[in-house]
């Protein structure tokens, strides 16, 4: 077991297999918990916190970052010298909610659930009310990192670096900010004759953007507080801010923000601990993915299926970038004659599989010397669940059953047979480009330093 210890201003910090645990000088563990508030009665966007954003429930983006940060894993120890051999307890990442569906999504993404009381679930309830209730019911927690569910571009390194301001430098409140370059003016009520006034500039000497540092504004991504600070009210004691770059500062309040946030999160969102790897093989179900699942039968007994040209174009886009595409089906869903015609139309091999889809998929991977991280899988029902879970990237059409949606890493906006394959193809190419950019950056850093 890989272990390391470093001295901090407030005690010790142990890092064991990437997981961080903090101790006071007395040997007492400092319990740091992440808390995401997700009430069911959102007024702007109904059930906004679990609405799908870029294929993932909104709250899933911040839960993934919090869990993968490894800052909220509690070790079952009481003294620093015992920490190298203790077992891990459940991740101390919590969602506070009053809604059953939000609770299900939170647990699916690795969080524990604080079922908030009716007293702090009202429209008039404040965040402080809910945080204080959580603190009161969890007296072992020393530090609470309140993460906003509406900040989908949060990354684990943001949380780690911000928490170090509390654990290493003894600040009692830390909050996220972003730098803005906006000239502000005093508001004047309509109909009034009072002239407005500049609030942060001299109009006779307007600075150029590059000559002005701008202003630091809260971006709402997270707020970290010690227990004492929470008991007295938020953002008290010794304050510090943590600056995030503007591209990571996304906050969703109304529907009009949603398309902008989707584009931003696809470029700057956090997709998991593993570095993005280029997909080399896509396995795509014919029935229920490439087609809508229907088989048309003529009077003479001929069988036909319908394929959307947007989807076949998506397949060709992948092939043009070196991604092999294999269409998979069962003999019950697709006759050999239809399979041959489809192969000719798409330029793909059409493989008819038996009941053990995972084993036959693994055999195809072994033939090509591929691991699961290099494989993308598109399925649509219960038989696909194992492969959807194992594949480095997986997707289902919008109209797939819940069992498949829960297993997939991406849920398409489009339904089967009407652009879902094209949508998934574009995501694969986007992440392929992202992986290539990351590898290029790593090369630059190695060559430079």
């Amino acid at each position: 077991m890989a272990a390391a210890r470093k001295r901090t201003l407030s005690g010790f910090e142990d890092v064991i297999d990437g997981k961080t645990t903090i101790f006071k000088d007395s040997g007492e563990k400092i319990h740091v918990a992440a808390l995401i508030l997700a009430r069911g009665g959102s007024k702007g966007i109904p059930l906004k916190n679990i609405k799908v954003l870029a294929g993932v429930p909104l709250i899933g983006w911040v839960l993934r970052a919090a869990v993968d940060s490894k800052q909220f894993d509690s070790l079952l120890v009481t003294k620093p010298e015992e920490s190298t051999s203790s077992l891990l307890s459940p991740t101390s990442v919590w969602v506070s909610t009053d809604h059953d569906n939000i609770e299900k999504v939170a647990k699916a993404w690795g969080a524990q659930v604080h079922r908030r009381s009716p007293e702090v679930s009202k429209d008039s309830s404040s965040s402080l009310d809910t945080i204080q209730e959580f603190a009161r019911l969890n007296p072992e927690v020393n530090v609470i990192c309140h993460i906003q569910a509406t900040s989908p571009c949060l990354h684990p390194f943001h949380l780690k670096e911000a928490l170090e301001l509390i654990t290493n430098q003894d600040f009692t409140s830390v909050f996220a900010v972003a730098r803005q370059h906006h000239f502000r003016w005093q508001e004047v009520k309509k109909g009034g004759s009072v002239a407005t006034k500049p609030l942060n500039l001299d109009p006779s000497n307007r600075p150029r953007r590059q000559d002005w540092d701008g202003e630091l504004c809260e971006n709402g991504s997270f707020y970290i507080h010690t227990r004492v600070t929470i008991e007295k009210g938020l953002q008290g004691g010794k304050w510090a801010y943590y600056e995030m770059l503007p591209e990571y500062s996304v906050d969703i309040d109304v529907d009009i923000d949603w398309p902008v946030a989707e584009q931003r999160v696809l470029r700057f969102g956090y997709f998991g601990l593993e570095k993005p790897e280029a997909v080399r093989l896509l396995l795509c179900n014919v029935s229920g993915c490439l087609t809508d699942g229907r088989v048309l039968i003529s009077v003479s007994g001929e069988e036909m299926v319908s394929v959307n040209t947007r989807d076949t174009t998506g397949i060709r886009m992948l092939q043009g970038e070196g991604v092999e595409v294999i269409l998979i089906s069962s003999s019950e869903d697709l006759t050999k004659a239809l399979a041959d015609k489809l192969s000719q139309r798409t330029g793909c091999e059409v493989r008819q599989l038996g009941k053990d889809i995972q084993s036959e998929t693994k055999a195809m991977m072994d033939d090509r010397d591929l691991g699961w991280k290099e494989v993308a899988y598109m399925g649509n029902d219960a038989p696909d669940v194992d492969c959807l879970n194992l594949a480095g990237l997986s997707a289902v059409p919008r109209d797939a059953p819940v069992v498949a949606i829960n297993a997939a890493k991406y849920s398409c906006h489009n339904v089967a047979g009407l652009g879902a394959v094209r949508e998934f193809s574009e995501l694969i190419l986007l992440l392929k480009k992202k992986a290539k950019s990351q590898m290029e950056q790593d090369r630059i850093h190695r060559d430079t330093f």
Side-chain angles (χ1 to χ4, degrees):
M1 179 179 290
R5 171 170 297 150
K6 68 178 180 180
R7 180 74 184 176
T8 71
L9 293 179
S10 54
F12 298 96
E13 181 178 288
D14 278 3
V15 181
I16 303 175
D17 287 342
K19 299 180 183 295
T20 302
T21 306
I22 304 150
F23 299 91
K24 300 176 184 176
D25 276 322
S26 63
E28 178 187 354
K29 180 188 64 176
I30 297 176
H31 186 133
V32 184
L35 179 64
I36 296 94
L37 308 185
R39 191 169 67 92
S42 172
K43 296 301 181 184
I45 305 174
L47 287 179
K48 170 179 63 178
N49 296 306
I50 55 174
K51 182 177 177 180
V52 173
L53 177 78
V56 172
L58 177 60
I59 199 172
W61 289 102
V62 294
L63 285 175
R64 178 191 281 158
V67 171
D68 286 357
S69 74
K70 301 182 185 297
Q71 300 301 298
F72 309 105
D73 287 320
S74 304
L75 287 169
L76 304 178
V77 296
T78 55
K79 296 179 181 179
E81 56 268 23
E82 298 174 0
S83 65
T84 57
S85 60
S86 297
L87 298 175
L88 285 170
S89 69
T91 302
S92 194
V93 175
W94 296 77
V95 171
S96 174
T97 188
D98 59 345
H99 198 280
D100 292 342
N101 289 342
I102 295 176
E103 178 175 350
K104 291 176 184 176
V105 172
K107 289 180 176 178
W109 283 86
Q112 300 187 69
V113 173
H114 162 239
R115 196 71 185 208
R116 64 172 69 179
S117 67
E119 287 73 25
V120 298
S121 300
K122 304 172 185 176
D123 290 342
S124 58
S125 300
S126 68
S127 296
L128 177 59
D129 295 333
T130 311
I131 295 170
Q132 287 179 334
E133 179 186 73
F134 173 82
R136 186 173 66 254
L137 296 175
N138 295 274
E140 73 282 2
V141 175
N142 306 102
V143 177
I144 294 177
C145 178
H146 168 211
I147 302 172
Q148 300 271 37
T150 52
S151 300
C153 287
L154 183 69
H155 282 242
F157 75 86
H158 294 136
L159 298 171
K160 184 178 187 300
E161 292 173 358
L163 278 164
E164 286 176 350
L165 294 172
I166 283 188
T167 59
N168 291 3
Q169 299 184 39
D170 287 340
F171 288 100
T172 58
S173 291
V174 177
F175 52 95
V177 301
R179 195 172 297 273
Q180 295 184 356
H181 292 77
H182 295 162
F183 294 134
R184 296 182 292 108
W185 291 77
Q186 184 178 37
E187 182 180 1
V188 176
K189 299 298 181 182
K190 289 184 178 180
S193 59
V194 179
T196 185
K197 297 178 181 178
L199 297 177
N200 65 343
L201 81 151
D202 176 3
S204 63
N205 187 26
R206 293 174 68 93
R208 299 182 304 168
R209 182 185 178 90
Q210 59 267 37
D211 296 330
W212 181 41
D213 290 336
E215 296 180 323
L216 297 176
C217 302
E218 290 186 18
N219 68 1
S221 288
F222 56 80
Y223 301 84
I224 309 174
H225 315 282
T226 60
R227 170 175 285 276
V228 173
T229 305
I230 291 168
E231 290 170 350
K232 295 180 179 180
L234 302 182
Q235 288 180 294
K238 187 179 177 183
W239 301 352
Y241 62 79
Y242 176 81
E243 184 176 354
M244 295 174 63
L245 294 175
E247 52 263 37
Y248 299 116
S249 299
V250 179
D251 188 23
I252 301 172
D253 286 321
V254 293
D255 259 327
I256 197 170
D257 297 334
W258 212 265
V260 175
E262 284 204 316
Q263 293 303 312
R264 185 77 67 85
V265 79
L266 286 172
R267 289 191 62 192
F268 301 108
Y270 171 69
F271 286 85
L273 278 173
E274 299 288 343
K275 284 188 176 181
E277 295 200 26
V279 168
R280 294 171 57 191
L281 172 65
L282 167 63
L283 296 169
C284 176
N285 266 274
V286 174
S287 180
C289 291
L290 183 60
T291 74
D292 61 8
R294 294 184 298 170
V295 177
L296 306 178
I297 304 175
S298 69
V299 174
S300 60
E302 290 182 310
E303 294 186 359
M304 294 173 286
V305 293
S306 174
V307 179
N308 194 296
T309 55
R310 282 187 294 163
D311 292 321
T312 55
T313 300
I315 289 172
R316 293 192 185 97
M317 289 164 58
L318 289 175
Q319 293 168 330
E321 291 296 324
V323 178
E324 182 182 5
V325 180
I326 298 178
L327 301 176
I328 58 177
S329 180
S330 69
S331 57
E332 298 173 356
D333 295 333
L334 206 64
T335 64
K336 186 178 185 308
L338 275 177
D340 291 343
K341 192 67 176 177
L342 195 57
S343 177
Q344 180 183 352
R345 175 80 180 181
T346 60
C348 302
E349 176 186 356
V350 178
R351 184 75 66 93
Q352 293 186 315
L353 305 182
K355 292 184 178 180
D356 194 351
I357 297 175
Q358 181 182 338
S359 295
E360 294 189 53
T361 297
K362 186 64 169 61
M364 285 188 277
M365 292 164 49
D366 291 343
D367 289 343
R368 293 160 176 79
D369 194 25
L370 298 177
W372 281 106
K373 289 190 294 184
E374 300 167 289
V375 174
Y377 189 94
M378 190 167 197
N380 73 314
D381 215 329
D384 301 307
V385 165
D386 288 340
C387 291
L388 289 169
N389 278 318
L390 290 169
L393 189 61
S394 60
V396 293
R398 190 182 72 193
D399 52 346
V402 173
V403 65
I405 291 174
N406 289 341
K409 297 175 177 66
Y410 184 85
S411 297
C412 294
H413 292 288
N414 294 298
V415 298
L418 289 175
V421 173
R422 170 63 178 267
E423 181 182 340
F424 190 38
S425 299
E426 290 178 346
L427 176 65
I428 291 170
L429 293 175
L430 177 68
L431 296 182
K432 185 180 175 73
K433 182 178 179 181
K434 191 171 185 178
K436 184 177 181 181
S437 174
Q438 181 64 58
M439 288 188 288
E440 180 65 17
Q441 284 296 318
D442 291 344
R443 184 192 64 76
I444 291 171
H445 290 323
R446 287 194 302 271
D447 291 349
T448 305
F449 303 105

